[in-house]
Amino acid sequence: MTGSENAVLEALDADRDGALGRLFELLRIPSISTDPAHAADCRKAAEWCVAALREIGFDAQLHETAGQPMVVGHMPPLGTEGAGGGGAPLRVLFYGHYDVQPPDPLELWKTPPFEPRMGEDPRHGPIILARGASDDKGQLMTFLEACRAWARTAGGPPVAVTVLLEGEEESGSPSLGPFLDAHGELLKADIALVCDTGQWDARTPAITTMLRGLAFCEIAVRGPARDLHSGMYGGPAVNPIHGLARILAALHDEAGRVRIPGFYDGVESPTEAQRAQWAALDFDEAEFLTDVGLSAPAGERGYSVLEQLWARPTAEVNGICGGYQGPGTKTVIPSEARAKLSFRLVPGQDPERVLAGFRAFAQAHAPDGCTIAFEGEGGSPAVGFDTESASMRAATAALEAEWGRSPVMMGCGGSIPIVEAFKTVLGMETLLIGFALDDDRIHSPNEKYNLSSFTRGARSWVRILARLAEAQAQRA
Ligand code: BES
Ligand code: MN
Ligand code: MN
C-alpha cells in the first residue's frame, strides 16, 4: 500500500504546474452565486468542473436545480489487491463549492479578483491570489488533484469516491434540501469529506469537529409613503432609520449578551473534556485580535475568545442602508431603512425559532407608525462530530505522516449548511479537513491561498484516502 501511496505522491509533486494551471482556469470564472448577473458564470464553473472530473476518470454529470447547478461524479475504487484485501470498499462522498463571494469592495484589490496570479507573502512565501483561491476553489482542487494522481498512477483511488460540488454555498444552499431529497441515493456513502475549513496554523493541520449554524434575514422598516423634505415634515414624521437603529441597538446588553427573549434556550455547553482541550491549545488571543486591527474581544463577557467563537451564539448586523448615500447634504426623511442580519448558532438552537424570536423582538422595539417586513430568511443548525471514530483516527495518522505533527481537533465559528443535512438526511458523519489559514482573507479583498496549502493539501488527501482504505480493510 505505501509503495503505491509514495508513487502517487511523486506523481502529484511532478505535476504541480499542471495542477496550478487547472486551478487558475477555474479561478478565472467569476462564479458569484448571490448575484443574478453571474448566473451564467456559475453554470460555466459547473461545466468546467464536470469536464475536469471526466478528464480525471469520473463518471460526472451536471444536475439542474431551481438555482445554480449541482455537479456529481463517481469513480470506482482500484482493484481489490490495491485496496488491501477483500470486503466491500469504503465509499466516500467529497463535498466542495464552486461558487464564491462577491469581490466587493473592488477598489481595495491590488490585482483584479478574477485574474489569478502568483504573489509572494512575507510570512508564507509563494501565494495564489484571486477570489476563491482559498474559499473554496483552491481547497476543492486539492481533493480533485489527489484523485487525479491516484487515477493516473494506480488506476483509481483506493476507496469508492463520489464528488458533489455545489454552486450556492455562499448563498445559504437554498437548493440543497430538495436536491438531497431527490438524489440522496446518488450520494450515499460511508462518510463525507469536506475541504472548506482551516488549519490550526501554517505548520499544524486540523480536523474541525464542529461548525456553528446560521440563521439570516433582512429587515425593512417603513415609515412615510415617500421620501420627505425633513424641514417640511421633520418632527411629526417618523424616521425609519431611527426605528431601525433602535431595534439594532437593543440587540445586545452591556455584557455582550443577546437580549432577544428565548435566544439562549436549549444552548448546549461544551463538555468539560472539550473545554479542557481548548484551554490547553496554545492560542494567542492578543495576536489573533491584533492581526486584524482589534484590541480587545467585544463578545460576551466571561468567555475566552475561542469559546466566543466555537461555543457561543451571536447576533450580527452585516449590512445597513437607508436615506441619502451620495456626496454632499440631502435633508431627507427616507421612507425605508434596511439591514441584513445573521445569527451564528450552537448545538441546541433551531434557526427557525431564532428568526421567530427576532421578528417578535423587532416588532416590540419598533416605534409607533413604522411597519416592519422580513425577507430573505434562511439558515441551518450547528453540527458536531464524534472525535473517536475510526475514520478520525485514520485521518489523524495520514495528517501526521504529511505534516510531522498531530492535527489539532478544533471548533469552527463558520458555517457550511450542507454538513448538518449530511448527518440528518443521509445519516453520514463528516470529516472536515481544510488547509486554509486565518490570514487567507476569505470573503475579503486580496484573498489568497498559500501555494504550500495547495500542494500539501493535495498530498494530505492522497494519504487520507490510503489510510481510510486501510482502516476499512482491517474492519473487513
Ligand atoms: N468556508 C466557509 C466556512 C468557514 C469559514 C469555515 C471560516 C472555516 C472557517 C464557507 O464558505 C462560508 O463562508 N460559509 C458561510 C455560509 C453562509 C453564507 C450560508 C458562512 O459561514 O458565513
Ligand atoms: Mn467555503
Ligand atoms: Mn465562504
Side-chain angles (χ1 to χ4, degrees), residues 135 169-170 443:
D135 187 12
E169 197 273 346
E170 300 290 11
H443 295 205

Side-chain angles (χ1 to χ4, degrees), residues 412-474:
C412 178
S415 313
I416 307 172
I418 198 172
V419 174
E420 191 266 344
F422 283 159
K423 193 165 189 164
T424 52
V425 181
L426 300 183
M428 269 187 298
E429 294 282 297
T430 297
L431 267 176
L432 291 160
I433 300 173
F435 308 97
L437 295 173
D438 283 348
D439 65 6
D440 279 357
R441 298 184 286 268
I442 68 169
H443 295 205
S444 275
N446 307 303
E447 178 175 348
K448 61 94 173 155
Y449 199 42
N450 291 357
L451 177 61
S452 60
S453 297
F454 184 57
T455 54
R456 300 188 79 181
R459 288 175 58 90
S460 300
W461 285 120
V462 166
R463 296 183 191 273
I464 292 166
L465 293 182
R467 292 298 193 294
L468 286 173
E470 268 171 26
Q472 173 78 356
Q474 280 160 14

